[in-house]
């Protein structure tokens, strides 16, 4: 599980995933990769939601790896590289690039436009990009307008938009971008 940053809408599902593993008798380890602070914030969140759950013995290990911006690692067969996003969240937020099985996936997380996005997405098979609003400026977030303005720098073969407000979801889709939806499965 790769986590871009430690806001609730991006990592808040982890306690439920871990508890689901516990109740469905999971045995394989769960690798969680996120920014510095992930281990503590995950334990704090588990304690807040389900007191005692962060120390309950389980049949599977939760292996947290913290990745600083500007570093890269290979974990579980995935080569991951991280850049610092422009998005305060009580810990450094990351723009991620994952290489696995001969394919490359980049993910903006939440961030204001930054050159890191173009670097992370260079020649990628897929860029998953935040597109919060079409034109409305929200500090530390990406708009469709930002992606459009920098489209010539984005060399990923596919761009799928996510993190969309109603303003985006209600508007007609544009040919340069696909839109994510709940339950979407992507084949590369
Ligand atoms: Zn955020
Ligand atoms: Zn968010």
């Amino acid at each position: 599980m790769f986590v871009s940053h430690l806001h609730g809408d991006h990592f808040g599902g982890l306690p439920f995933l871990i508890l689901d593993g516990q109740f469905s008798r999971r045995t394989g380890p769960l690798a969680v990769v996120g920014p510095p602070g992930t281990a503590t914030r995950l334990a704090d969140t588990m304690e807040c939601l389900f007191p005692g759950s962060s120390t309950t013995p389980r049949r599977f290990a939760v292996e947290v790896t913290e990745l600083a911006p500007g570093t890269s690692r290979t974990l579980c067969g995935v080569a991951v590289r991280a850049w610092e996003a422009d998005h305060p969240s009580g810990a450094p937020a990351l723009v991620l690039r994952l290489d696995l099985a001969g394919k490359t996936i980049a993910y903006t997380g939440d961030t204001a436009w930054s050159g890191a996005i173009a670097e992370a997405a260079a020649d990628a098979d897929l860029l998953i990009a935040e597109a919060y609003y079409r034109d409305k400026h929200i500090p530390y977030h990406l708009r469709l307008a930002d992606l459009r303005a920098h489209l010539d720098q984005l060399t990923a073969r596919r761009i799928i938009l996510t993190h969309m407000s109603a303003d985006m979801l209600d508007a007609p889709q544009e040919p340069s971008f696909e839109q994510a939806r709940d339950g979407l499965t992507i084949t590369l």
Side-chain angles (χ1 to χ4, degrees), residues 5 7 9-10 87-89 110 141 163:
H5 65 291
H7 273 155
D9 56 320
H10 292 260
H87 188 76
S89 57
D110 292 355
H141 282 279
H163 207 288

Side-chain angles (χ1 to χ4, degrees), residues 4-153:
S4 62
H5 65 291
L6 301 178
H7 273 155
D9 56 320
H10 292 260
F11 89 109
L14 278 174
F16 299 96
L17 181 73
I18 292 166
L19 260 69
D20 182 67
Q22 199 171 315
F23 297 135
S24 62
R25 308 178 85 79
R26 179 187 179 122
T27 52
L30 174 67
V32 176
V33 183
T38 297
T40 304
R41 289 276 283 277
L42 178 57
D44 290 350
T45 305
M46 292 192 72
E47 283 307 308
C48 175
L49 297 176
F50 304 102
S53 67
S54 72
T55 52
T56 304
R58 283 184 290 265
R59 288 182 189 80
F60 64 99
V62 177
E63 296 165 354
V64 177
T65 301
E66 299 187 349
L67 201 61
T71 63
S72 55
R73 292 280 290 273
T74 298
L75 295 147
C76 309
V78 182
V80 55
R81 214 174 137 192
W83 288 257
E84 180 146 22
D86 184 5
H87 188 76
S89 57
L94 306 177
V95 175
L96 295 170
R97 179 183 175 97
L98 312 179
D99 288 289
L100 67 156
K103 302 288 181 184
T104 302
I105 300 168
Y107 174 43
T108 63
D110 292 355
T111 182
W113 172 262
S114 137
I117 297 170
E119 267 186 67
D123 298 319
D125 295 283
L126 172 66
L127 167 64
I128 303 166
E130 177 187 25
Y132 198 5
Y133 281 87
R134 291 174 65 78
D135 298 297
K136 184 176 167 186
H137 174 71
I138 307 285
Y140 309 116
H141 282 279
L142 264 182
R143 303 171 296 177
L144 180 64
D146 300 313
L147 293 167
R148 270 206 221 99
H150 297 94
L151 200 53
D152 59 335
Q153 297 168 44

